[in-house]
Amino acid sequence: MVTYLRGELAKEAKVNIETLRYYEKHGLLPQPQRTASGYRVYTEETLARIIFIQNAKNCGFTLREITKALKKSEDGKLSIPDFIMAIERKMTAVDLEIAKREKTRLLLVDLKRNLESAERHPGVQETLQILKLED
């Protein structure tokens, strides 16, 4: 069985040592075994778990959501349908965020167009006066 010291694990997982400490402190990683001299020793299972956490974060899941999923999994209370529902909820949240960003972008495009226009909207004129940006 391959084992890693803390620095080796961090390097292999491509995370900071402080990230490992944080994950341990907040229950995302199990407490590691220790050598006779007190060094923490991690297993390949811990490396796989860190990679899972990083992938889940990249998919937009929060550490709280990841912790909850890992806890349910350890308790045998996580099913594929549960996991699919969590993914669908995350996808809905992403879709809402995209819609919000698109609306913001349209507002910015409209503002820019108004600023470039010879005949500006009265609200834009007021904004320019407040910002002391009159031509």
Side-chain angles (χ1 to χ4, degrees):
M1 169 170 53
V2 176
T3 59
Y4 304 93
L5 296 175
R6 181 179 271 174
E8 295 168 335
L9 179 67
K11 184 176 179 181
E12 191 70 27
K14 298 180 179 90
V15 297
N16 190 298
I17 288 177
E18 292 304 316
T19 300
L20 294 179
R21 286 188 181 121
Y22 182 89
Y23 288 175
E24 283 177 31
K25 180 179 176 184
H26 290 88
L28 288 154
L29 296 178
Q31 291 299 314
Q33 297 288 326
R34 291 193 180 251
T35 64
S37 55
Y39 289 105
R40 289 173 173 84
V41 179
Y42 300 89
T43 64
E44 288 182 298
E45 183 179 317
T46 304
L47 175 60
R49 193 170 175 123
I50 294 168
I51 292 168
F52 164 78
I53 293 166
Q54 295 302 105
N55 286 336
K57 282 177 55 182
N58 288 336
C59 288
F61 289 96
T62 65
L63 288 178
R64 175 176 279 173
E65 292 167 328
I66 296 166
T67 302
K68 186 177 176 181
L70 288 169
K71 178 72 175 140
K72 283 179 111 176
S73 172
E74 289 168 1
D75 295 343
K77 296 179 181 175
L78 183 66
S79 66
I80 291 174
D82 291 336
F83 194 39
I84 290 170
M85 278 195 317
I87 292 167
E88 287 174 347
R89 282 193 304 272
K90 188 55 67 177
M91 289 169 54
T92 299
V94 168
D95 289 342
L96 291 171
E97 183 64 28
I98 289 169
K100 182 179 172 185
R101 296 288 184 166
E102 286 175 349
K103 182 178 178 182
T104 300
R105 188 175 194 297
L106 289 174
L107 290 170
L108 290 168
V109 167
D110 189 47
L111 177 59
K112 180 179 178 241
R113 188 177 302 121
N114 268 297
L115 286 170
E116 294 172 338
S117 171
E119 304 219 2
R120 294 183 180 128
H121 184 277
V124 173
Q125 276 302 125
E126 286 178 20
T127 300
L128 291 175
Q129 288 171 349
I130 291 168
L131 295 173
K132 298 180 173 116
L133 293 174
E134 297 179 72
D135 295 309

